């Protein structure tokens, strides 16, 4: 839908377990840095008592080198890595990726009725999946959203079922004829 083919998953592991997802078109250091900055901005605005980033722990992908590493160095943010392909050395983020992917698969299955249009919707769906994981109460009774904001998550008008049938309004100038219905059918993303 949006031309993105990768996602970058970040987790604030120091205090809240709040997760952030950024969609990218490539695995370049430039896009990884842009995605990381989006996550920092989102965390800053997520609630009170923002803690500045002091360390970034990544795998050894080349997208976390070059421009990405240089920016962290200039901002005096420590960068550590897993030391090769060792998912257990980054277990909280790997666990979050697993939770988000399980949620993503369920969302896509429900949204498409199992029709397999997963590739077209994966970008908006993974953002919604991450949001659902953040807002859910975990088995230990905590919630990343509550830990970050200090309040319980309350359902709002935005919380429609992903992929639910929806009607959207068509402006008069975009209407094909005066007999066309003013609303068109689509799905909620």
């Amino acid at each position: 839908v949006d031309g993105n083919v990768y996602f970058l998953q970040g987790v604030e592991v120091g205090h809240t377990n709040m997760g952030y997802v950024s969609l990218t078109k490539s695995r370049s250091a430039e896009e990884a840095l842009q995605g990381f900055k989006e996550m920092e901005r989102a965390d800053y605005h997520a609630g009170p008592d923002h803690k500045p980033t002091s360390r970034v722990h990544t795998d050894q992908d080349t997208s976390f080198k070059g421009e990405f590493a240089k920016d962290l160095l200039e901002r005096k943010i420590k960068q550590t890595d897993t030391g090769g392909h060792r998912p257990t050395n980054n277990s909280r983020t790997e666990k979050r990726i697993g939770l988000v992917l399980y949620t993503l698969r369920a969302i896509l299955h429900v949204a498409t009725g199992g029709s397999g249009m997963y590739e077209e919707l994966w970008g908006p769906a993974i953002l919604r999946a991450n949001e659902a994981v953040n807002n859910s109460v975990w088995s230990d009774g905590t919630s990343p959203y509550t830990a970050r904001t200090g309040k319980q998550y309350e359902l709002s008008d935005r919380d429609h079922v992903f992929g639910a049938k929806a009607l959207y309004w068509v402006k008069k100038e975009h209407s094909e004829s005066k007999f066309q219905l003013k609303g068109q059918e689509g799905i909620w993303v």
Side-chain angles (χ1 to χ4, degrees), residues 114-184:
S115 69
M117 293 183 55
Y118 303 150
E119 297 299 318
E120 292 84 355
L121 295 172
W122 81 269
I126 202 158
L127 295 173
R128 180 65 188 110
N130 185 66
E131 194 176 326
V133 172
N134 279 338
N135 298 340
S136 298
V137 177
W138 293 12
S139 61
D140 64 0
T142 64
S143 152
Y145 176 86
T146 302
R148 180 66 189 95
T149 64
K151 54 188 174 188
Q152 294 285 34
Y153 182 75
E154 292 184 28
L155 292 174
S156 72
D157 293 348
R158 260 182 36 68
D159 292 306
H160 293 282
V161 174
F162 186 92
K165 185 193 247 183
L167 295 176
Y168 64 93
W169 181 67
V170 178
K171 289 183 179 182
K172 189 175 186 176
E173 58 266 20
H174 296 270
S175 182
E176 294 174 15
S177 78
K178 65 181 181 179
F179 303 112
Q180 181 180 348
L181 296 175
K182 299 297 180 199
Q184 292 294 308

